[in-house]
Every structure is written in C-alpha cells, then in structure tokens.
C-alpha cells in the first residue's frame, strides 16, 4: 500500500488559500487532485454534493475537514490533497467549526489508502506534530512532516486493567465506524480507535470495521456498538445497538473515553 507522502505529494499542498465559503474550500482541495491527475472535475462536484446530502460530517476535528466522496468513475487513481485556508470558513458543524484545514481524498477503493489513513491519524493525534503541520511555512515543509512521524506521546491515558470478562476469554467483538461513503472519515476513525485498542492490548479481541450508512444498518447486529459523527448518527436512527457520537476523530483521548464507556471500564 502507498505511503502517505506518496498519496499526498508536495504538488497537492496549497497554503493560505482564499475561500469565500465551504464549497470553495472543498473545490480548492478538488482542484489539487485534478491537477495531480487522480480525479476529474466531476469528483470535485461529487465531494460538494456529499456534504449537501449528508451534512458536515466530514468536519472530523476542530478546524479540520476531510473532503471526499464515494469511489466513482471520476476517480482516476487514489490520492490526496492538503489545503490550508487563509481565513477559516464555516461548514455548519455544531462542534468543530470554523475550518481552516481541508484534506481531500480520492479513493479507488478502501484498500489502497488504509496505511496512509493510519499514518495521518497518528500524525494528527500527536499535538506537537499537528501544530507543526498547521504552522508549516511552505508546502515542502508540510510534505516533509507527512513523510515523518510524531514523537512518542504515550497516549492520553494508561490502558485499563484487564478485568473485563469479554476480553479475558475467547469472545471476539466488532465495532463499526460509519460515514456516508465508508472510505474516508469512517476509515480515519477506525485508525484512531485501533491505536487505542493496541495500547490497551485489546486488538486481538475487538475488530473495528469501517463502513457506510447503508451497510451499517445491515451489519449492526454483528456489532457491540457503532461509533460515528453526530450527523451520521441522526441518519442511522435506531439500529438495535448503541450508536455513540465522536466529535474529534483525531483524538485518541476521546476514542479512549468512548471505548471505556462502551465497555464500562
């Protein structure tokens, strides 16, 4: 699988870009992916329509939007873009507005960019690296940081004691992370959750699966819980298992809290 720095080349980084509103901000991210040959202009339209249809769930953390749409013929290859705005714009998100950073994603399928999503999730989960990325003076400086990694932070909290019965035996649980398309924000949240589960020592007992809203309704019976954005939670409604809202998909501290609540740890 391609590395983050390969999927997000320096030519796909734009700093201090003007944008009058969220639509123009998303178009900026789309234009970069068109310029690097991974998508057509039609895909940019599809990214805007995704927000119009599903709401601002792509605003996955304070100030950060992860613009994408479903895989389609408008995607020519898997790639990403990075747009830092000159002035923040509102997407209509209850907790994470205004947005000053838009990361774009065009994906042929969910398999090609899994490793890159994991790398990006780790980078943005580290406060020092996230700050350095936001303050980088040039596109090359951003790309250099994306090619590296965060300093070890030890995580937001220590792992819980291994006293939860389901994880002392042979039981295996599944958690679903859900977004409108199953290849973008849900995959990002999956990576953050898996980082916490690894630190807890529970990764062998809990599987995290990223999926879309339609598939999630059919798979809900297999899961102990669904983790998603507030907008997607409203779309899902009652699916027979707990649906838990995560506001900041980059925060291992919030993922840790939600997991503790799910398992009463």
């Amino acid at each position: 699988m391609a590395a983050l720095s390969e999927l997000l080349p320096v030519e796909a980084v734009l700093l201090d870009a003007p944008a009058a509103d969220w639509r123009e901000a998303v178009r900026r991210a789309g234009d970069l992916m068109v310029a690097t040959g991974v998508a057509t202009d039609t895909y940019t339209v599809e990214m805007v329509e995704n927000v119009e249809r599903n709401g601002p769930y792509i605003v996955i953390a304070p100030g950060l939007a992860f613009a994408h749409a479903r895989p389609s013929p408008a995607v020519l290859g898997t790639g990403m873009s990075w747009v830092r705005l000159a002035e923040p714009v509102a997407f209509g998100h209850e907790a994470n507005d205004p947005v000053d950073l838009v990361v774009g994603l065009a994906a042929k399928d969910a398999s090609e960019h899994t490793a890159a999503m994991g790398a990006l999730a780790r980078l943005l989960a580290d406060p020092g690296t996230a700050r350095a990325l936001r303050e980088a003076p040039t596109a090359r400086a951003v790309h250099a940081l994306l090619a590296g990694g965060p300093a070890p932070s030890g995580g937001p909290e220590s792992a819980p004691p291994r006293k939860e019965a389901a994880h002392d035996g042979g039981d295996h649980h599944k958690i679903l992370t859900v977004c409108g398309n199953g290849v973008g924000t849900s995959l990002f949240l999956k990576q953050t959750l898996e980082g916490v589960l690894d630190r807890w020592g529970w990764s062998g007992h809990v599987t995290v699966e990223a999926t879309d809203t339609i598939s999630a309704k059919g798979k809900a019976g297999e899961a102990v819980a669904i983790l998603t954005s507030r907008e997607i939670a409203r779309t899902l409604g009652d699916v027979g298992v707990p649906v838990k809202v995560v506001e900041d998909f980059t925060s291992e501290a919030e993922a840790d809290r939600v997991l503790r609540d799910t398992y009463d740890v």
Side-chain angles (χ1 to χ4, degrees):
M1 286 182 280
L4 176 60
S5 57
E6 295 173 319
L7 293 182
L8 213 169
V10 67
E11 295 81 8
V13 178
L14 178 63
L15 303 184
D16 303 323
D21 55 25
W22 70 263
R23 288 179 177 83
E24 187 174 352
V26 171
R27 290 189 194 105
R28 293 279 186 180
D31 289 346
L32 288 173
M33 293 190 288
V34 172
T36 52
V38 300
T40 69
D41 289 327
T42 299
Y43 185 71
T44 301
V45 174
E46 291 170 354
M47 290 196 298
V48 172
E49 290 175 343
N50 180 41
V51 179
E52 292 174 339
R53 181 172 57 254
N54 295 307
Y57 79 92
I58 67 166
V59 186
I60 62 172
L64 170 62
F66 195 59
H68 65 288
R70 289 183 181 276
S72 78
V75 177
L76 306 177
T78 298
M80 301 174 68
S81 61
W82 182 281
V83 179
R84 187 175 73 198
L85 300 175
E87 297 291 339
V89 298
F91 275 66
H93 195 281
E94 295 178 21
N96 293 332
D97 266 350
V99 168
D100 61 356
L101 177 61
V102 181
V103 178
L105 169 69
K108 295 290 285 184
D109 56 49
S111 63
E112 292 186 28
H113 61 290
T114 301
M117 288 297 94
L120 184 58
R122 289 189 295 273
L123 289 168
L124 294 176
D126 180 81
T129 307
R131 183 170 57 254
L133 281 165
R134 286 182 176 275
E135 297 174 356
T138 66
R140 291 197 176 277
V142 170
H143 191 257
L145 287 164
L146 294 174
S153 61
E157 297 185 52
S158 59
R162 297 192 186 192
K163 63 183 181 180
E164 212 285 318
H167 299 281
D168 290 334
D171 292 345
H172 197 96
H173 288 182
K174 179 186 285 187
I175 292 173
L176 299 179
T177 59
V178 182
C179 72
N181 305 295
V183 296
T185 58
S186 60
L187 188 57
F188 198 101
L189 180 55
K190 166 184 161 75
Q191 301 296 332
T192 302
L193 287 173
E194 287 180 339
V196 176
L197 290 168
D198 285 345
R199 201 170 60 250
W200 284 15
W202 284 17
S203 55
H205 301 284
V206 183
T207 297
V208 184
E209 180 180 343
T211 189
D212 59 30
T213 50
I214 296 173
S215 300
K217 293 179 180 180
K219 295 179 177 181
E222 307 169 9
V224 296
I226 289 174
L227 274 60
T228 188
S229 66
R230 191 174 304 278
E231 292 81 9
I232 298 299
R234 291 174 182 146
T235 298
L236 287 172
D238 184 1
V239 291
V241 298
V243 177
K244 297 179 179 290
V245 170
V246 178
E247 298 287 6
D248 186 347
F249 285 22
T250 70
S251 171
E252 289 194 354
E254 185 172 0
D256 185 286
R257 177 185 59 74
V258 174
L259 284 171
R260 288 172 185 267
D261 180 65
T262 300
Y263 286 101
D264 194 24
V265 172

